[in-house]
């Protein structure tokens, strides 16, 4: 019922997080999340009967069933590992949990493969409705597989509830909704375990129980999808607002940055020297803004001796933005006409537009420089080299 929407959602998640991974290729948690989503969507696709039959036809009977179960269980294992790595546990505890989870997964995958090999070839296309549930290898296959589902779903639900207490209220609502769905999936996996035991002696019995259990599993997956979509929407909205905010401040810094980069072209950090088209993709609006902010600070540091000559007794750290902007423009003209100070004659640097002691952080620093840049007049026809402008 919810399999196709789940595949679509997981595929979108893979694309979204793959873009983030391209920007932060060394983020181990992000790599785990991308791998988890990729395994889960692959397992869901392989679970279609047509795909499973095609795999069996190309290999041998039972391979498709082992493949999609193994890949999907591996995706759940990576998801549990992702939650463990983000839980803020001591390193030794994290490593111990990972060793236990890895050993558990390897044991389960080995058991599923062995059970399928031990199953007679004509029975390998079995399902929960098979009349051969009394066959030890078949019963063992479903007991082991569903036991791991119970563990993985329950662990993810508990971690989601734990993280819900540490995030903002809208995101917490999404995580709690996901946790409810995961707990429902835990209960239905446990129900399948019970059904396997009941059908060992009475094949095909308790069909009404099986119908209700599958319906509950579908609705539980739907709740997980609702929670996931809500959390993703909240996160995407926050990122969009942040991107718009930083893109606006990036543009507002342009007048000041342009003048300083024209005077000191060496301050411009060349981010993508190869000129490859995906170089800009790896740079988010926040990263481009903070890089421009640092370049402005570097330019003001180099200009500060000229500012001290112009206003030796003034406090430029907290001066009015329009006044400081005029002094910077005058200092740039002075620097252009007189050149750099001779060696041994440099005056000490003076702080410019520093935030008050009560305000700390890059955001406070950015507000000061943006205010100056807004008031900054166009003072020089000289522009930084076009290639630097493109790569800034």
């Amino acid at each position: 019922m919810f399999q196709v929407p789940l595949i679509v959602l997981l595929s979108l998640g893979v694309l979204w997080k793959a873009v983030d991974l391209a920007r932060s290729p060394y983020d181990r948690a992000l790599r785990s999340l991308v791998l988890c989503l990729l395994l889960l969507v692959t397992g869901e696709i392989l679970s279609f009967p047509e795909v499973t039959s095609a795999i069996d036809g190309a290999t041998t009977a039972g391979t498709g069933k082992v493949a999609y179960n193994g890949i999907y269980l591996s995706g759940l294992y990576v998801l549990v590992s992702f939650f463990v790595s983000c839980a803020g546990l001591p390193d030794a505890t994290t490593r111990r949990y990972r060793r236990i989870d890895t050993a558990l997964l390897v044991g389960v995958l080995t058991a599923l493969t062995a059970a399928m090999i031990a199953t007679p070839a004509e029975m390998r296309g079995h399902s929960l409705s098979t009349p051969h549930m009394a066959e030890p290898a078949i019963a063992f296959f479903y007991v082991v597989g569903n036991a791991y589902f119970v563990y993985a779903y329950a662990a993810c639900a508990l971690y989601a509830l734990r993280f819900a207490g540490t995030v903002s209220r809208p995101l917490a609502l999404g995580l709690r909704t996901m946790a409810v769905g995961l707990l429902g999936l835990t209960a239905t996996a446990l129900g399948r375990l019970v059904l396997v035991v009941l059908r060992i002696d009475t094949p095909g019995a308790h069909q009404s129980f099986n119908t209700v259990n599958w319906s509950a599993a579908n609705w539980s997956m739907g709740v997980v999808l609702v929670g996931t979509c809500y959390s993703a929407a909240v996160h995407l909205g926050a990122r969009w607002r942040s991107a718009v905010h930083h893109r606006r401040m990036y543009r507002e810094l342009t007048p000041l940055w342009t003048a300083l980069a024209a005077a000191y072209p060496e301050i411009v950090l060349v981010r993508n020297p190869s000129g490859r088209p995906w170089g800009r993709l790896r740079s988010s609006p926040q990263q481009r803004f903070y890089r421009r902010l640092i370049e402005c600070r570097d330019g003001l540091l180099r200009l500060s001796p000229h500012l001290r000559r112009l206003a030796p007794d003034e406090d430029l750290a907290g001066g009015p933005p329009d006044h400081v902007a005029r002094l910077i423009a005058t200092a740039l003209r002075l620097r252009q006409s007189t050149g750099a100070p001779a060696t041994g004659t440099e005056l000490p640097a003076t702080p410019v537009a520093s935030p008050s002691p009560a305000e700390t952080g890059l955001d406070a620093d950015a507000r000061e420089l943006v205010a100056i840049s807004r008031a900054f007049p166009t003072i020089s026809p000289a522009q930084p080299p076009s290639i630097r402008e493109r790569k800034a």
Side-chain angles (χ1 to χ4, degrees), residues 207-226:
Q207 185 56 42
S208 59
F209 174 77
N210 185 39
T211 302
V212 172
N213 196 62
W214 276 112
S215 178
N218 284 332
W219 283 105
S220 296
M221 183 59 72
V223 174
V224 172
L225 291 180
V226 170

Side-chain angles (χ1 to χ4, degrees), residues 17 28-38 78-79 82:
K17 291 305 172 183
R28 295 180 61 180
L30 193 55
R31 284 204 302 266
S32 296
L33 186 57
V34 172
L35 176 60
C36 163
L37 295 172
L38 187 60
V78 177
L79 181 59
F82 169 76

Side-chain angles (χ1 to χ4, degrees), residues 224-273:
V224 172
L225 291 180
V226 170
T228 303
C229 290
Y230 182 80
S231 298
V234 170
H235 181 59
L236 190 60
R239 288 188 58 172
W240 180 80
R241 289 191 298 271
S242 176
V244 170
H245 172 67
H246 285 95
R247 191 175 288 114
R248 184 181 68 251
M249 290 199 296
Y250 177 87
R251 291 194 299 266
E252 289 175 340
L253 278 177
T254 297
L256 177 62
W257 177 85
T258 301
L260 291 171
Y264 304 102
E266 66 276 10
I267 68 172
V268 180
L269 304 172
V270 180
R271 174 71 176 180
N272 183 28

Side-chain angles (χ1 to χ4, degrees), residues 19 46 132 160 243 310 377:
V19 172
L46 293 180
H132 308 292
L310 288 173

Side-chain angles (χ1 to χ4, degrees), residues 54-118:
I55 295 174
D56 288 349
T59 54
T60 184
T63 303
K65 194 173 188 67
V66 171
Y68 84 72
N69 276 282
I71 291 175
Y72 196 84
L73 292 178
S74 298
L76 291 178
Y77 156 78
V78 177
L79 181 59
V80 173
S81 298
F82 169 76
F83 278 128
V84 170
S85 66
C86 297
L89 301 172
D91 291 342
T93 304
T94 299
R95 287 193 296 269
R96 184 172 71 253
Y97 283 177
R98 283 178 176 171
R99 285 195 298 268
I100 294 172
D101 288 336
T102 301
L104 186 60
L105 176 69
V106 171
V108 168
L109 295 183
T110 302
L112 293 180
T113 304
M116 187 59 73
I117 293 173

